[in-house]
Amino acid sequence: MRCLSTRGRAEPVALTEALRRGLAPDGGLYLPEEWPRLHPSQWPSADALPEVAVGVLKPFFAGEALASQLPALCAAAFSFPAPLRPLGRGDFLLELFHGPTGAFKDYAARFLAQVWRELRSDQRVVVLVATSGDTGAAVAAAFHRLPGFQVVVLYPEGRVSPRQAAHLDGFGENVLTLRVAGSFDDCQALVKALLTAAEVAGRRMTSANSISLGRLLPQIAYYAQAALGHWQRAHRPLSFIIPTGNLGNALACVLARAMGLPIGEIVIALNENRVLAEYFAGAPYRPRPAQRTLANAMDVGAPSNFERLRHLFPDERALRAALRADWVSDAEIRETIASVWRRHCLALCPHTAVGMAVLARLRASGEERDFAVAATAHPAKFAEIVEPLIGEPVPVPEALRAAWSRPSRALRIEPSLAALEALLSAQ
Ligand SMILES: *Cc1c(COP(=O)(O)O)cnc(C)c1O
């Protein structure tokens, strides 16, 4: 399938080329030219996530050389489940945190790594990723020990949680983790500068940030599986509440619904960075600097995927009708973690708590439809926030415990391109 840039000044390219490139040459984001619609007779069985993934991704890959590899790519990328946990009264939790780094970003990072592995030529590829937490670990884990790839992760020293830092620091081998004495913006600026310098020098460098279409498309799979499974059991559409920062995860749900899957409402749940809540309430779109909150992976003041949403819905009224949005304070995040623990004996990460707080508000206003909240990270990753609120330790999955107890291999650098280039050439 052909893909277009949101800015409309780049040539259309085949999906494979869009997956290879990440950003379009005009600075825009790629989107498929049209949305395949799946008639109910074409809906895949909801039993196994890899098969659902193949079923929903196949139309995008039609005519591409990668199409025949799709079952193998999906088997490797979707090798852990996304269970839909019923909480009673039509409330559900869609658990997206059973992957190797305990966050939903594992699905897309692993899919991208599998695709790039298929597309690789003989030259070694350097994958750069600036991270404020979960993305870096997911990308590093997905490419760890993959022959032909070197990953360079940059994160702001002291600005990620202790367990996130332990995870990022422990990879080694083909993953170089850099603790940058600066902010997340410094890390992103370094990645951009290095990519520009590499292009000039003809080196193969690329970035794995959330604007790649290869991070967006695979996420359709778990919404499809949850909605299809619910449809088969209850014969009703399932609505979703999605904790949101850059809109990457929520956009995948919008795309799943556009494909004709049985999805009702889509509500985006924000922390105090409430630009999108104001927009969907009718105000003009006003991006601004991010504010720090307890749900740090959602501390985004200028959501990058808004550009895709606008491209999909050029008419503002149609866009405002497609989604609803609500936002939650840090105090409400704390209250929700405590109250869900009391009611269900269930520990939530702060991001998931944002979604559950929005669901509680909908229920209080009389909403009766079936709603699933996307649980975006494992609560153990944020133990320093969660444990004091629930009064006991959060059990840690074995894979995460092992990842957090590796010795640190990270290096510290000043936020300067010269320092980074010197370090990379010494590798
Ligand atoms: C990245 C992340 C989010 C936000 O996802 P977007 O796709 O940026 O909207 C929410 N929760 C967690 C745990 C994350 O890591």
Side-chain angles (χ1 to χ4, degrees):
M1 182 173 284
R2 295 200 320 165
C3 295
L4 305 176
S5 163
T6 48
R7 306 221 172 142
R9 291 187 301 273
E11 289 293 307
V13 294
L15 172 64
T16 305
E17 187 54 26
L19 294 178
R20 196 196 305 269
R21 285 189 190 173
L23 206 63
D26 63 355
L29 310 181
Y30 281 117
L31 272 173
E33 190 170 26
E34 60 196 311
W35 288 101
R37 278 191 76 85
L38 297 177
H39 185 266
S41 67
Q42 298 168 304
W43 288 351
S45 146
D47 296 341
L49 186 56
E51 275 89 88
V52 177
V54 173
V56 295
L57 294 176
K58 211 167 36 184
F60 296 100
F61 283 85
E64 310 258 343
L66 276 181
S68 61
Q69 311 290 333
L70 201 55
L73 294 179
C74 290
F78 296 91
S79 56
F80 45 93
L84 187 65
R85 178 199 284 261
L87 299 176
R89 301 187 319 179
D91 294 359
F92 297 85
L93 204 60
L94 177 59
E95 296 183 353
L96 303 177
F97 52 68
H98 296 288
T101 72
F104 78 89
K105 292 185 175 82
D106 280 324
Y107 291 105
R110 287 162 65 86
F111 185 79
L112 193 66
Q114 294 302 319
V115 167
W116 282 0
R117 186 169 76 151
E118 288 298 323
L119 299 179
R120 192 174 73 86
S121 60
D122 292 336
Q123 207 185 355
R124 194 176 72 141
V125 179
V126 179
V127 180
L128 303 172
V129 53
T131 185
S132 54
D134 295 329
T135 302
V139 170
F143 284 93
H144 194 209
R145 299 181 179 141
L146 207 59
F149 291 92
Q150 157 97 57
V151 180
V152 182
V153 181
L154 296 94
Y155 77 86
E157 182 174 49
R159 309 273 183 97
V160 307
S161 84
R163 282 177 166 177
Q164 283 176 318
H167 208 142
L168 291 164
D169 291 354
F171 286 101
E173 293 161 270
N174 67 332
V175 176
L176 174 63
T177 301
L178 301 175
R179 263 188 295 130
V180 178
S183 66
F184 174 63
D185 290 338
D186 291 328
C187 296
Q188 259 188 325
L190 278 175
V191 165
K192 277 207 186 119
L194 197 60
L195 282 174
T196 311
E199 205 166 296
V200 173
R203 276 173 287 159
R204 281 279 287 153
M205 276 199 186
T206 183
S207 104
N209 53 12
S210 66
I211 46 95
S212 165
L213 195 53
R215 298 257 323 257
L216 185 58
L217 293 182
Q219 297 175 158
I220 296 173
Y222 44 74
Y223 293 113
Q225 188 190 28
L228 290 170
H230 187 68
W231 182 263
Q232 282 156 17
R233 284 184 300 268
H235 311 290
R236 285 193 301 273
L238 185 58
S239 296
F240 288 93
I241 297 174
I242 304 168
T244 297
N246 263 324
L247 269 168
N249 200 10
L251 195 56
C253 192
V254 174
L255 302 182
R257 188 175 59 185
M259 293 178 76
L261 293 161
I263 293 172
E265 291 252 21
I266 301 171
V267 182
I268 53 178
L270 304 152
N271 61 23
E272 286 173 39
N273 295 283
R274 52 184 183 264
V275 170
L276 292 172
E278 291 170 2
Y279 175 80
F280 282 99
Y285 178 62
R286 256 192 246 107
R288 62 192 84 140
Q291 230 175 290
R292 287 172 80 166
T293 76
L294 289 174
N296 66 349
M298 292 155 53
D299 292 348
V300 177
S304 50
N305 275 302
F306 191 64
E307 184 167 334
R308 280 200 171 103
L309 208 50
R310 272 198 160 152
H311 187 85
L312 288 169
F313 299 94
D315 176 56
E316 283 228 311
R317 256 190 325 190
L319 173 50
R320 287 202 170 99
L323 291 171
R324 285 160 64 188
D326 201 356
W327 70 277
V328 166
S329 68
D330 271 2
E332 288 166 289
I333 291 176
R334 288 201 175 86
E335 284 161 25
T336 304
I337 292 173
S339 68
V340 170
W341 175 256
R342 280 195 306 270
R343 236 182 53 221
H344 299 289
C345 226
L346 189 67
L348 302 178
C349 92
H351 311 84
T352 308
V354 171
M356 288 296 282
V358 168
L359 178 57
R361 237 181 250 164
L362 286 178
R363 291 293 182 227
S365 72
E367 174 62 64
E368 289 188 340
R369 286 171 292 183
D370 299 337
F371 266 91
V373 172
T376 52
H378 196 287
K381 291 185 91 168
F382 302 92
E384 70 286 356
I385 297 170
V386 179
E387 289 178 353
L389 294 167
I390 67 174
E392 56 182 272
V394 179
V396 181
E398 199 35 58
L400 288 179
R401 185 181 300 286
W404 296 338
S405 51
R406 298 175 301 192
S408 170
R409 322 270 193 95
L411 302 175
R412 181 175 187 276
I413 65 161
E414 294 300 318
S416 96
L417 181 61
L420 180 56
E421 287 198 304
L423 210 147
L424 291 181
S425 60
Q427 285 292 304

